[in-house]
Amino acid sequence: MEVLQREPACSRPEAFGVLESVSAAAAGKPLCCPNHEGKVMEFYCESCETAMCLDCTEGEHRDHMTVPLRDVVEQHKAVLKTQLDAIRSRLPQLTAAIELVSEISRQLNERKTEAVTEINSTFEELERVMHQRKTALITDLENICGAKQKVLHAQLSSLLQGKEHIQSSCSFTEQALSHGNATEVLLVQKQMSERVTALARHDFPEKPHQNAHLHCQVETEGLRRSIQNLGVLLTTSAVAHTSVATGEGLRHAATGQHQTVTVTTKDKDGELVRTGNAVLKAEILSADGNRAAETEITDNKNGTYEVGYTLRSEGEYSFCLLLYGQPIRGSPFRLRAIKPSDVPQSPDDVKRRVKSPSGTGGHIRQKALRRPSSMYSTTKKKENPIEDELIYRVGSRGREKGEFTNLQGISASSNGRVVVADSNNQCIQVFSNDGQFKLRFGVRGRSPGQLQRPTGVTVDMNGDIVVADYDNRWVSIFSSDGKFKNKIGAGRLMGPKGVAVDKNGHIITVDNKACCVFIFQSNGKLVTKFGGRGTSDRQFAEKLGPNFNKSGSVFSPHFVTVNNKNEIIVTDFHNHSVKVYSADGEFLFKFGSHGEGNGQFNAPTGVAVDANGNIIVADWGNSRIQVFDSTGSFLSYINTSADPLYGPQGLALTSDGHVAVADSGNHCFKVYRYLQ
C-alpha cells in the first residue's frame, strides 16, 4: 500500500533536528543556535514561532516580537498536552470501531461459510433426489417393458404353435395324396379332414395384443431454467449511520391508534439503496427499559420499510431502530404518547368535496387542510434530515402585486427567479429566489399577447417565459421582462394546462381538454403529439368513475416536466398516476394508484425532477408533496406540516435547490428546503 511505502516522518533530516532539540530540552541541556555557533537559544519569536539566540534577535528577527524562551515553554507544553489528550481520547473510539468492523468482517466470512455449506448441502440433496428419480424411472421402464413382452411372447407362442400344426397337417396330407394307395387315401381323408377343417376354422391371435409404444419423455427446459435460477443471494449495501427514518410516528403517537414510520436505507455514501431484505429491528422501550409495544416491519422491496406500532399507555418512550444491529441516524428517538382526546381538533381529519382545479365539472374528494399548526410543531430544528422545512411563503388572496387568485403553474429560472401563473388575475408574476417581487405582466383579453386564464408556465433556455393560456387555447412566449414575442399552437390546442421545455428547446404542452401532449418547435411547428382519450397506458382518463361528476367532461392530464434523459413526465389527474414517456412520446412506465398511502395519489398535479432524477409530485387531493426515485419507487415526503398545503398545483425546483409549490387553495406560493 502506498501509505506503507512512505518515508516515516522521523527519518527525514529536519525531523532529526527537532528530535535532537526535544531530547536536549528533556535532558536540561541548553539548545544551541544552528545559525550562530556557540550561541544558546534563549529567546522565542512569536511571529515566526521559532526559538533563537540573542544574535538572531538583533539580526533577521530584530523587528519581530521576541520573548524569553522559558516563558513560552510551559504554554507550548500545555498546548501540546491538550492536543495529545484530544487525539488520545479518540483511541477508544478507534479501538471500538476496529472491533466493530472486524466483527462485521468475521460475521461476513461466517455467513459466507454457512452459505457455502447450505449450497453444497442443497445440491447434494438434489443430486440424491435426481439419482432416486433416475432409478425409479429405469425400474418403471423395466416393469412396463416386461409386462408388454409377456403378452407379446404368449401371442407369439400361440401363433407359432398354430403355424406348426398347419404345416405338419399339410405335409402329411400332401404325402398321402402323392404316394398313398386307395386304402391309405381313404384312411387319411377320414383322419385328416376333421383336423384340417378344425385348423381352418381355428381363431388364431393374428392381431397384435400389444404395441411397441415406449419412450421416456423428460421435460428438461423448465427444470433447466429452475436450476439456473435456483438459489438467490440476499444482500444489501445499506448501513445504519446514513439510513434515516421519517414520519410523525417517530416522535409522537396517540394511544390506541396505529402509527407508522418509514425507514429509508442508504449506503455508505448516502446513496439510496434500491433493494430490500435488509435486517431491520424496531423496539419501543418504556422509561424502565421494558418493551412497551410490539412492532411490525413491512419490507417494500425497494429499500424502504414501514414500521408499525400501537401504544396503549401515555408517557415517554425510547424508539430504537437498528439496521444490522446498529442504530440508524438519530436513533434512539424520544417518543411521546398522549390520549387521542388531548389531540387538538383539526380540519385535517375532515374531508369535503371541492371542485376539480381543471374547472371542468369533475369532482374529487380532497382533504380540507386549512388548519393551525400541528400539535407537534416546534421552533426547534428538526432532527430528521428528510423532513424538510418551510423557508418562506409569498402571497394572499387579492389582485395587487404579490397577491394571487387561484394561482396554477410555477417555474424557476437558472438566473434565480420564480415565475408564477396567476390564473384568475390573468397575469404572470415574477419573484426572486428569496421571495422579493420583481415583475408583473399580462392583461385580460383574447388578442395575441393578452391572457385568458394562464395555467402552466416555464422558462426556456433563452430566459423567455412560456405560458400555457387555457381559454385562449394557445401558448404565449414573452421575453424575460414580459414583452410579448409570439404565440404557438393556435388552432391545434383545446385547453393547454402544463408546459415544459426539453433539452432540444422543444416546447412540451399538455392539452388538458384534448387529453394529449403536443411537442412544438420554438417557432410553433408541430413535431409530434401523443395521447388521447382512453384507458391504455399511452392515453389519459376518459371513463367516468364514482368520484367524477357524470354530467361533465373528464379532462385528465395536468402538468409536465422533462428529466435529464429528455423523458417526458406527465401527471394523469383522474387516473391518479404519473406517466413517463420517451422524448418521442413512446410510453415507458407509470406509477401511482388511488389512495392516501405512501406512493398513492388523490389526483396528482405539479411535477418536477431534481438533479439526481428523483421525481417530486404535488398530490392535490391529499394536499402533500411526495418524492419518488427515477423508477417511480416512493422515497419520502416534503414536510409541509408547519404551514399545511391546500390543493397544491404547480411545482418547481429553484436554482438554489429548493422546492417551490403553488398553494392554490391558500392563494400563495411556498418554498421548502429540499435535501436531495
Side-chain angles (χ1 to χ4, degrees):
M1 293 174 60
E2 181 186 353
V3 73
L4 297 178
Q5 294 172 349
R6 291 175 181 165
E7 212 176 357
C10 61
S11 68
R12 297 193 294 269
E14 62 269 24
F16 279 122
V18 172
L19 292 176
E20 287 173 359
S21 299
V22 171
S23 299
K29 298 177 181 178
L31 298 175
C32 294
C33 179
N35 300 322
H36 301 93
E37 187 176 355
K39 299 293 185 179
V40 177
M41 293 193 294
E42 299 178 299
F43 299 94
Y44 181 81
C45 177
E46 293 183 340
S47 303
C48 301
E49 296 184 342
T50 184
M52 66 193 73
C53 67
L54 180 61
D55 290 354
C56 291
T57 63
E58 297 171 349
E60 60 179 299
H61 296 277
R62 62 180 176 273
D63 295 326
H64 297 176
M65 175 68 70
T66 58
V67 295
L69 181 61
R70 61 179 176 273
D71 293 345
V72 298
V73 168
E74 290 302 323
Q75 177 185 351
H76 280 246
K77 284 172 65 177
V79 171
L80 284 173
K81 186 177 184 304
T82 301
Q83 294 173 338
L84 191 63
D85 291 341
I87 61 170
R88 184 179 285 116
S89 67
R90 297 200 63 187
L91 287 175
Q93 300 172 7
L94 291 174
T95 301
I98 290 169
E99 291 175 354
L100 177 59
V101 174
S102 299
E103 176 60 19
I104 293 174
S105 177
R106 185 196 65 77
Q107 290 179 3
L108 183 61
N109 284 328
E110 189 177 278
R111 302 290 186 274
K112 174 193 169 186
T113 302
E114 292 173 355
V116 169
T117 302
E118 177 68 19
I119 291 170
N120 288 333
S121 173
T122 299
F123 279 84
E124 287 170 4
E125 175 63 18
L126 287 174
E127 289 172 4
R128 185 183 66 78
V129 171
M130 292 284 286
H131 181 73
Q132 285 180 343
R133 182 56 182 161
K134 171 186 169 184
T135 303
L137 281 173
I138 293 174
T139 300
D140 290 345
L141 183 66
E142 294 286 355
N143 291 338
I144 293 170
C145 183
K148 280 178 170 278
Q149 289 288 15
K150 185 177 180 180
V151 172
L152 292 172
H153 287 165
Q155 182 183 12
L156 192 59
S157 177
S158 177
L159 291 171
L160 288 171
Q161 187 178 12
K163 180 181 178 183
E164 183 182 351
H165 287 166
I166 291 174
Q167 286 177 338
S168 64
S169 296
C170 290
S171 177
F172 180 77
T173 303
E174 288 174 352
Q175 188 174 1
L177 291 173
S178 301
H179 303 289
N181 53 32
T183 303
E184 290 174 339
V185 169
L186 290 173
L187 290 172
V188 167
Q189 191 277 335
K190 182 178 181 181
Q191 179 181 355
M192 296 303 296
S193 178
E194 294 178 0
R195 182 180 178 87
V196 170
T197 300
L199 287 171
R201 293 176 178 175
H202 187 75
D203 185 16
F204 292 105
E206 297 176 11
K207 302 297 182 183
H209 287 183
Q210 260 297 353
N211 57 58
H213 183 193
L214 181 61
H215 72 275
C216 181
Q217 180 179 353
V218 181
E219 175 55 54
T220 60
E221 186 60 32
L223 179 61
R224 186 176 290 110
R225 283 199 300 267
S226 297
I227 291 175
Q228 288 173 346
N229 296 317
L230 183 62
V232 177
L233 300 177
L234 301 179
T235 186
T236 76
S237 58
V239 292
H241 69 277
T242 57
S243 297
V244 295
T246 58
E248 197 78 83
L250 201 60
R251 304 286 184 183
H252 307 275
T255 57
Q257 295 182 2
H258 189 70
Q259 307 289 331
T260 59
V261 169
T262 300
V263 175
T264 302
T265 55
K266 299 183 180 183
D267 64 15
K268 65 180 180 62
D269 298 318
E271 296 294 325
L272 296 169
V273 174
R274 310 293 186 184
T275 58
N277 304 304
V279 180
L280 180 66
K281 181 181 178 183
E283 198 171 47
I284 299 177
L285 304 177
S286 60
D288 56 9
N290 294 322
R291 180 176 292 180
E294 294 295 326
T295 58
E296 54 187 35
I297 298 175
T298 302
D299 186 348
N300 296 324
K301 300 299 181 183
N302 61 1
T304 66
Y305 303 80
E306 303 297 325
V307 181
Y309 68 90
T310 303
L311 286 170
R312 302 297 176 187
S313 304
E314 299 174 75
E316 301 285 340
Y317 298 89
S318 176
F319 192 177
C320 303
L321 290 168
L322 303 176
L323 184 65
Y324 297 109
Q326 299 298 309
I328 69 170
R329 186 187 297 180
S331 178
F333 302 93
R334 292 183 60 186
L335 175 60
R336 180 171 175 251
I338 62 174
K339 292 179 181 179
S341 58
D342 294 336
V343 178
Q345 290 297 315
S346 166
D348 185 25
D349 301 320
V350 181
K351 292 182 180 179
R352 60 188 178 94
R353 298 181 66 83
V354 296
K355 190 175 182 181
S356 162
S358 62
T360 60
H363 285 75
I364 299 286
R365 292 186 65 84
Q366 180 193 22
K367 289 184 178 180
L369 290 182
R370 293 179 186 265
R371 60 185 181 185
S373 296
S374 164
M375 66 166 178
Y376 309 129
S377 64
T378 173
T379 56
K380 180 181 177 183
K381 180 174 173 59
K382 294 187 177 294
E383 297 178 22
N384 195 311
I386 282 188
E387 294 195 21
D388 308 312
E389 298 172 336
L390 175 70
I391 300 175
Y392 66 84
R393 63 176 284 171
V394 173
S396 59
R397 185 163 192 165
R399 298 188 176 278
E400 302 302 319
K401 296 177 181 178
E403 297 179 337
F404 307 98
T405 306
N406 188 29
L407 67 167
Q408 293 277 307
I410 191 168
S411 184
S413 66
S414 58
N415 64 347
R417 291 193 167 191
V418 177
V419 185
V420 182
D422 190 0
S423 186
N424 287 10
N425 286 334
Q426 322 295 345
C427 69
I428 303 298
Q429 299 197 50
V430 182
F431 301 82
S432 65
N433 267 359
D434 57 1
Q436 298 299 312
F437 177 83
K438 293 293 182 182
L439 172 69
R440 170 175 167 163
F441 64 88
V443 293
R444 182 173 185 169
R446 298 285 186 177
S447 301
Q450 296 179 324
L451 299 174
Q452 194 73 19
R453 198 174 163 207
T455 50
V457 63
T458 191
V459 180
D460 70 11
M461 301 172 181
N462 302 318
D464 289 339
I465 299 171
V466 182
V467 181
D469 194 332
Y470 196 91
D471 286 347
N472 276 332
R473 301 185 180 185
W474 61 54
V475 172
S476 295
I477 302 174
F478 299 86
S479 65
S480 59
D481 56 359
K483 291 183 174 60
F484 176 73
K485 298 179 71 174
N486 191 18
K487 68 179 176 70
I488 65 174
R492 295 184 184 272
L493 300 172
M494 295 176 62
K497 174 80 173 179
V499 66
V501 176
D502 70 8
K503 291 183 176 180
N504 301 317
H506 294 155
I507 298 173
I508 318 295
T509 306
V510 172
D511 193 331
N512 178 253
K513 283 189 178 180
C515 286
C516 63
V517 177
F518 287 82
I519 303 179
F520 296 100
Q521 292 181 0
S522 58
N523 61 7
K525 182 179 179 180
L526 179 66
V527 177
T528 188
K529 76 171 184 175
F530 60 89
R533 293 186 179 90
T535 57
S536 72
D537 289 331
R538 182 182 170 87
Q539 296 172 313
F540 300 99
E542 178 183 43
K543 64 181 181 179
L544 296 176
N547 290 331
F548 301 148
N549 183 344
K550 296 184 179 180
S551 64
S553 302
V554 177
F555 303 146
S556 190
H558 267 52
F559 288 95
V560 62
T561 191
V562 179
N563 66 15
N564 51 18
K565 299 178 184 177
N566 222 28
E567 294 169 343
I568 300 168
I569 304 170
V570 184
T571 53
D572 194 352
F573 186 85
H574 285 301
N575 275 334
H576 311 288
S577 62
V578 175
K579 295 182 176 180
V580 182
Y581 301 84
S582 71
D584 299 322
E586 291 301 316
F587 175 79
L588 299 177
F589 66 92
K590 69 176 180 179
F591 59 92
S593 60
H594 191 200
E596 300 178 358
N598 292 347
Q600 293 185 310
F601 300 112
N602 187 10
T605 45
V607 61
V609 178
D610 70 16
N612 298 319
N614 296 323
I615 303 170
I616 310 163
V617 184
D619 189 356
W620 180 81
N622 288 323
S623 286
R624 63 185 180 181
I625 302 172
Q626 300 191 70
V627 184
F628 302 81
D629 68 13
S630 59
T631 65
S633 296
F634 172 79
L635 295 178
S636 63
Y637 300 99
I638 301 294
N639 180 15
T640 61
S641 60
D643 191 359
L645 300 171
Y646 184 54
Q649 286 280 347
L651 193 73
L653 271 177
T654 64
S655 59
D656 50 0
H658 301 315
V659 170
V661 59
D663 191 356
S664 181
N666 287 320
H667 305 286
C668 68
F669 75 87
K670 297 173 180 175
V671 175
Y672 293 93
R673 188 169 291 107
Y674 173 65
L675 302 180
Q676 300 187 33

